[in-house]
Amino acid sequence: MQLYNKLSAEERRLLIAEAGTERLTLSFYQYHQVENPQVFRDYLFLHWNEMDVLGRTYVAYEGINAQLSVPAPRFDDFKNFLNGISFLKAVRLNIAVEQDNESFLKLTVKFRDKIVADGLDDSTFDVTQKGIHLNALKFNTLLKDSDTICVDMRNHYESEIGHFKGALIPDVDTFRESLPLIEENLSEYKEDKKLLMYCTGGIRCEKASAYFKHKGFKNVFQLEGGIIEYARQVNENGLENKFIGKNFVFDERRRERISDDVIAQCHQCGTPCDSHVNCPNEACHLLFIQCDSCKEKRKGCCSYDCQKIVSLPIEEQRKRRKGEHNSNKIFKKGRSEILKYKH
């Protein structure tokens, strides 16, 4: 019984190419009381592995958060499988704006304390008292209201390449860091302003809206389905697009283009650019924005030191990073003194 991924990324990439089958990148989440997350986790892995589903999923007592790649011919089977789970029946699936067969190269389903790391004690407030959900049209309307404060609930490296016009953009590394900061900075507007929130797919706003209502905000709204669903509705219904730039996504694509605007710059030379890369040095993996010219010059690396390391034989690289950990960079994406043009 296989309950864990056994193939390397390269092995999976070859299998995807050999299969010659189009794949769909999608995401979904659902808050629901899961009695035994570990059993549920194993159940999902067994069935999704059989369907050749790839991606990253977190299961917790509070629900599920999934970002997946599904073979297009098995999409109906996948939907039927979800519909067979009571609390996932007819769950909204956020289909990616831009598709890529290699968006995910392995299947991981993990049990976590929470499906999103928010740092909140859920016993102190009613997490079901969420804000009012808005579709793209209503979101656009409220965005134009002078009594509205629009807040980006994402992290700095996400909003740097794309965001809604006029949105308040907290300069934070993590979601849990943004909650008390926003509450403090907007405390004087709790009674008379409309708090309008958005994130990538909606999951962060689900918890944040309940938190802010608990903190005394009277008028709390959230973009249903996040930026992904907003882009779909804008394209299908011919609506005005209020989002500028790219939407950062947490898979191998790293971004989806929503508008032609390039609002960021290469962190190494300052040229207009909005393409994130990970430093190829296995002991670094810093996420940063790099233009094609710097990518060629630096071999995709964030610094000349990393460039020297990746030029070494693999065994020598492994020897040098033995005992070293790069976990300190996980929540410091795009923040490094070596990045001259990172604001």
Side-chain angles (χ1 to χ4, degrees), residues 185-203:
N185 290 343
L186 301 182
S187 58
E188 63 181 289
Y189 304 115
K190 290 181 178 181
E191 297 283 343
D192 57 346
K193 295 290 185 180
K194 302 179 183 71
L195 181 60
L196 177 62
M197 298 178 296
Y198 69 90
C199 58
T200 307
I203 187 170

Side-chain angles (χ1 to χ4, degrees), residues 281-283 304-313 316-317 320-321:
N281 178 9
E282 295 288 346
Y304 288 114
D305 286 341
C306 284
Q307 190 172 336
K308 291 176 183 177
I309 291 174
V310 298
S311 67
L312 297 172
E316 178 63 25
Q317 290 184 47
R320 290 191 176 212
R321 69 172 180 264

Side-chain angles (χ1 to χ4, degrees), residues 73-90:
R74 302 298 301 270
F75 182 63
D76 287 339
D77 294 337
F78 176 77
K79 285 180 66 177
N80 290 334
F81 171 76
L82 294 184
N83 287 335
I85 301 171
S86 59
F87 75 94
L88 294 180
K89 187 174 183 179

Side-chain angles (χ1 to χ4, degrees), residues 41-318:
R41 176 265 169 211
D42 293 349
Y43 176 76
L44 292 177
F45 190 97
L46 284 170
H47 286 81
W48 286 350
N49 187 57
E50 185 276 329
M51 285 187 271
D52 195 26
V53 172
L54 303 174
R56 182 191 311 109
T57 299
Y58 298 137
V59 175
Y61 285 104
E62 66 176 4
I64 180 173
N65 180 16
Q67 296 90 40
L68 303 171
S69 170
V70 179
R74 302 298 301 270
F75 182 63
D76 287 339
D77 294 337
F78 176 77
K79 285 180 66 177
N80 290 334
F81 171 76
L82 294 184
N83 287 335
I85 301 171
S86 59
F87 75 94
L88 294 180
K89 187 174 183 179
V91 67
R92 184 187 63 250
L93 300 178
N94 283 331
I95 307 297
V97 176
E98 298 177 351
Q99 294 296 334
D100 186 326
N101 285 351
E102 298 180 5
S103 58
F104 289 101
L105 294 172
K106 61 182 178 179
L107 174 63
T108 57
V109 186
K110 296 183 178 181
F111 167 59
R112 289 285 177 86
D113 291 334
K114 290 195 172 190
I115 54 177
V116 175
D118 53 39
L120 300 175
D121 181 356
D122 293 352
S123 66
T124 61
F125 66 102
D126 188 348
V127 296
T128 67
Q129 294 299 307
K130 298 173 288 189
I132 298 173
H133 286 218
L134 301 177
N135 61 20
L137 178 60
K138 292 180 179 178
F139 182 89
N140 279 355
T141 300
L142 201 58
L143 197 60
K144 293 185 292 186
D145 190 328
S146 59
D147 286 329
T148 295
I149 299 178
C150 182
V151 181
D152 193 318
M153 297 306 302
R154 302 171 303 152
N155 304 327
H156 70 90
Y157 55 89
E158 298 172 78
S159 58
E160 184 176 16
I161 62 171
H163 54 77
F164 279 101
K165 299 174 184 177
L168 177 65
I169 305 171
D171 185 22
V172 295
D173 295 329
T174 65
F175 174 54
R176 64 189 299 166
E177 184 182 338
S178 70
L179 295 171
L181 181 66
I182 293 169
E183 194 271 329
E184 179 182 356
N185 290 343
L186 301 182
S187 58
E188 63 181 289
Y189 304 115
K190 290 181 178 181
E191 297 283 343
D192 57 346
K193 295 290 185 180
K194 302 179 183 71
L195 181 60
L196 177 62
M197 298 178 296
Y198 69 90
C199 58
T200 307
I203 187 170
R204 283 176 276 193
C205 291
E206 289 288 291
K207 185 65 71 70
S209 64
Y211 171 80
F212 288 127
K213 289 182 70 174
H214 165 67
K215 287 295 184 177
F217 287 86
K218 302 301 182 184
N219 302 293
V220 181
F221 302 85
Q222 63 193 87
L223 178 59
E224 183 173 15
I227 302 164
I228 298 173
E229 177 64 12
Y230 175 87
R232 186 191 68 79
Q233 292 181 22
V234 164
N235 291 332
E236 287 191 0
N237 302 317
L239 303 176
E240 181 182 2
N241 178 25
K242 297 284 190 178
F243 190 92
I244 53 176
K246 289 180 177 178
N247 178 31
F248 186 95
V249 291
F250 294 87
D251 57 57
E252 293 296 323
R253 296 171 301 147
R254 298 194 185 96
R255 66 267 179 184
E256 297 178 326
R257 179 153 303 280
I258 309 299
S259 83
D260 292 332
D261 305 273
V262 177
I263 65 171
Q265 59 186 349
C266 174
H267 287 164
Q268 292 174 319
C269 73
T271 299
C273 178
D274 54 11
S275 296
H276 278 103
V277 299
N278 277 112
C279 180
N281 178 9
E282 295 288 346
C284 177
H285 271 187
L286 183 69
L287 181 75
F288 66 106
I289 296 175
Q290 187 179 55
C291 68
D292 289 340
S293 176
C294 288
K295 186 173 185 178
E296 182 178 359
K297 185 188 306 181
R298 303 286 187 89
K299 306 301 181 185
C301 295
C302 68
S303 66
Y304 288 114
D305 286 341
C306 284
Q307 190 172 336
K308 291 176 183 177
I309 291 174
V310 298
S311 67
L312 297 172
I314 294 298
E315 289 304 316
E316 178 63 25
Q317 290 184 47
R318 289 173 178 167

